[in-house]
Amino acid sequence: MPDGAFARPVTVNMLIDGALVPGAARMEVINPATTEVIGTAPRCTQAELSQVMQAARAAYPGWAALDIEERRAAVSQIKPAIEAHADEIAAIQTAEQGKTLTAARGELASLTRFLARQATLELPIVVNEDTPERISTTYRVPLGVVAAISPWNFPVLLAWWKIVPALLAGNTVVLKPAPQTPLAALRIAELVAKLFPAGVLQVISGGDELGPWLTAHPEVDKISFTGSTATGRKVMEGAGASLKRLTLELGGNDPALVFDDVDPVAAATKVFWAAFANAGQICIASKRIYVQRAIYPAFRDALIAVAQQVKVGNGAEPDTMVGPIQNRTQFDRVTELLADCRSNGYDFAFQGAAPQGPGFFVPVTIIDNPPDSARIVREEQFGPVLPLMVFDTEDEVIARANDTEYGLAATIWTEDMERAARVSRRLEAGTVWINEAIYLSPDAAFGGRKQSGLGAEHGDDAILSVTEPQTVVMRRA
Ligand code: NAD
């Protein structure tokens, strides 16, 4: 079996104060393709969390006082540690998340690309004034203890790309992956445990209670959170008491605008995978497709032709292209959205095959021109069900694309680059792709507008988001 690259059951530890800790309590982790238990992870208790936070605070002054090159030497070793165990980690990801092995390897490759770039980051120093009277300089200083919280759709990438900038800048970090997918993230923690002084990097896992405990903890200075908009609002409320710094990477309902000057067949293949990769469970997936009237039928037929070739199944099987939904709660939500489409009489342009349970499989489904008021258009589906809508004019499609509380990303498909530039500036989205999708770079700021987030990661924000300015003004004699 291609998923045999790890020992079963997977039994991972937390990294607490320099030690690998099995924890006082454990929780089971299931494979969403089979619902079988594949391993266990610690269920962090409040007493253990207290120990974690004390260790993070105690380690902070020493770590922050090091020369940045000493910190760089340590964080640079995370990438090779992951690469040396890539097959094992990818197999665990497939087993706990459901994605295909190819996608799991791609997630790790993407992570190591980010880690390589992040390890070269510098702390900017700005000289504001340099006159005979005074010199004024602004430094970037660390914030203290950073809590990093990640979701279940990309359990390794979205967790571990938060770590290097925060550590390099001199913070200590406590990482908490999602309760549904803790195994691969904690396995990496075991691999890098010896790289850092005790308490500098800690990785913990727990149930639904652990996120609120962590974000409410008085020792946390900054929360770097990736997850849903609903949870992001709660995190922000809780942060107010001690003015914790926040970066929130939240949900999206990204539009794709397909203009009638593109080849509908070529565009359909790209749009299909922008929507259905990872079974649609990508924050920046294309979730609403607007197609200009002249090519609507040809585009829809081409999209269906791609969908007909796709096998939904266990991500560990080599011919699977779309895996299961990661967990039962999300499966129930997507199933409910499908039922809503049926009960409202929307046209199903396509619905493919999917294995019957016990795994959380949803067939690839394309809904033909539902109204803008439909739940499948207005809500983030986070699953393999895609609404396709017809539009006539540029102004009209921009207004419809922006008619949402979300503002994460958007894509434009056109041969007309002037139009693409014009439309991109009018779209209320943190990232706009033109003739490609889901391309992220460690050099480009990534963040959501409106209720898709607050602040950004990567680009200049990689360092700015984990530091704050300190201006030193020196009067010259
Ligand atoms: P979620 O909000 O339910 O959970 C995310 C994390 O927050 C988990 O680790 C969870 O344990 C923790 N958590 C839950 N309640 C908490 C609380 N009250 N306080 C603190 N932490 C808490 O999200 P999810 O269902 O795991 O992920 C799917 C969502 O994440 C989708 O909306 C998706 O669009 C979004 N997402 C956004 C990005 C982005 O970069 N903008 C990336 C990936 C996913």
Side-chain angles (χ1 to χ4, degrees):
M1 279 289 286
D3 67 344
F6 60 90
R8 290 158 189 268
V10 186
T11 309
V12 289
N13 296 292
M14 295 187 282
L15 173 57
I16 297 181
D17 200 8
L20 294 177
V21 176
R26 307 280 300 178
M27 58 186 193
E28 292 183 334
V29 179
I30 64 158
N31 180 339
T34 61
T35 67
E36 286 164 1
V37 175
I38 51 159
T40 63
R43 185 166 192 149
C44 186
T45 63
Q46 263 179 315
E48 286 163 339
L49 182 63
S50 296
Q51 190 195 345
V52 167
M53 300 316 302
Q54 277 171 23
R57 180 58 61 195
Y60 172 60
W63 181 247
L66 289 179
D67 187 273
I68 188 172
E69 296 310 324
E70 292 178 71
R71 295 196 295 264
R72 195 187 309 284
V75 300
S76 299
Q77 293 176 59
I78 298 177
K79 175 177 176 279
I82 292 174
E83 285 170 334
H85 291 80
D87 285 346
E88 178 200 355
I89 299 165
I92 294 174
Q93 277 172 278
T94 291
E96 71 176 335
Q97 204 284 331
K99 64 185 60 193
T100 66
L101 270 172
T102 308
R105 290 195 189 103
E107 183 179 338
L108 277 181
S110 180
L111 173 62
T112 52
R113 185 168 63 93
F114 271 76
L115 293 176
R117 173 67 181 97
Q118 289 172 338
T120 69
L121 291 168
E122 298 287 352
L123 289 167
I125 299 172
V126 177
V127 177
N128 311 302
E129 186 181 332
D130 188 356
T131 61
E133 288 80 35
R134 69 178 63 78
I135 180 163
S136 161
T137 311
T138 299
Y139 301 90
R140 299 298 305 190
V141 296
L143 298 167
V145 178
V146 174
I149 299 181
S150 55
W152 44 257
N153 59 335
F154 285 82
V156 167
L157 180 70
L158 298 179
W160 280 89
W161 77 8
K162 294 182 185 297
I163 304 303
V164 168
L167 289 178
L168 195 58
N171 303 284
T172 58
V173 177
V174 178
L175 168 64
K176 187 202 85 66
Q180 302 89 344
T181 54
L183 299 177
L186 265 69
R187 181 71 188 108
I188 294 175
E190 293 178 347
L191 298 171
V192 305
K194 295 207 176 347
L195 299 181
F196 301 97
V200 166
L201 171 64
Q202 301 179 90
V203 185
I204 58 177
S205 59
D208 290 339
E209 64 285 351
L210 184 56
W213 288 351
L214 181 58
T215 51
H217 202 285
E219 291 292 356
V220 171
D221 298 297
K222 153 101 198 197
I223 304 166
S224 177
F225 173 84
T226 303
S228 64
T229 295
T231 307
R233 288 189 192 108
K234 290 183 197 160
V235 170
M236 194 166 179
E237 269 173 40
S242 59
L243 281 182
K244 293 181 171 72
R245 274 53 175 166
L246 286 176
T247 301
L248 301 176
E249 300 283 7
L250 307 179
N253 192 6
D254 293 0
L257 283 52
V258 186
F259 287 92
D260 63 10
D261 57 352
V262 298
D263 171 359
V265 175
T269 305
K270 292 175 186 157
V271 170
F272 182 89
W273 287 112
F276 289 100
N278 214 39
Q281 303 164 110
I282 306 183
C283 55
I284 47 175
S286 295
K287 293 174 181 148
R288 303 174 278 151
I289 316 296
Y290 297 91
V291 186
Q292 208 160 13
R293 190 174 300 276
I295 61 162
Y296 185 88
F299 182 90
R300 180 192 54 208
D301 293 349
L303 203 64
I304 292 169
V306 180
Q308 282 166 337
Q309 307 302 315
V310 168
K311 185 193 161 200
V312 175
N314 186 330
E317 291 164 6
D319 55 345
T320 292
M321 297 157 88
V322 169
I325 296 294
Q326 198 283 322
N327 58 75
R328 181 171 298 283
T329 306
Q330 183 59 21
F331 173 79
D332 289 346
R333 182 175 149 64
V334 178
T335 305
E336 190 206 328
L337 281 173
L338 274 170
D340 182 76
C341 291
R342 286 238 182 263
S343 65
N344 280 289
Y346 305 148
D347 285 338
F348 281 56
F350 177 80
Q351 185 155 52
Q356 296 303 304
F360 307 133
F361 296 104
V362 173
V364 167
T365 306
I366 299 167
I367 309 293
D368 194 353
N369 207 24
D372 285 358
S373 59
R375 284 184 61 197
I376 192 63
V377 181
R378 298 218 59 82
E379 298 179 20
E380 180 186 35
Q381 66 273 57
F382 226 58
V385 182
L386 185 67
L388 194 63
M389 278 80 63
V390 67
F391 78 89
D392 288 298
T393 70
E394 192 176 301
D395 282 348
E396 171 211 335
V397 76
I398 291 169
R400 291 168 72 190
N402 286 339
D403 181 22
T404 170
E405 68 185 16
Y406 294 111
L408 193 53
T411 53
I412 302 169
W413 300 89
T414 181
E415 296 289 313
D416 178 345
M417 289 307 115
E418 275 182 30
R419 168 162 62 193
R422 186 171 67 232
V423 172
S424 68
R425 286 192 297 273
R426 294 178 63 195
L427 287 173
E428 296 164 355
T431 301
V432 180
W433 289 287
I434 297 162
N435 296 330
E436 68 174 325
I438 313 189
Y439 171 76
L440 295 178
S441 159
D443 293 308
F446 174 69
R449 291 171 64 183
K450 295 156 77 175
Q451 294 191 41
S452 284
L454 189 74
E457 296 179 286
H458 317 308
D460 289 347
D461 291 281
I463 282 293
L464 299 183
S465 64
V466 287
T467 56
E468 55 196 359
Q470 183 189 43
T471 295
V472 178
V473 183
M474 189 188 292
R475 179 80 193 183
R476 287 182 162 137

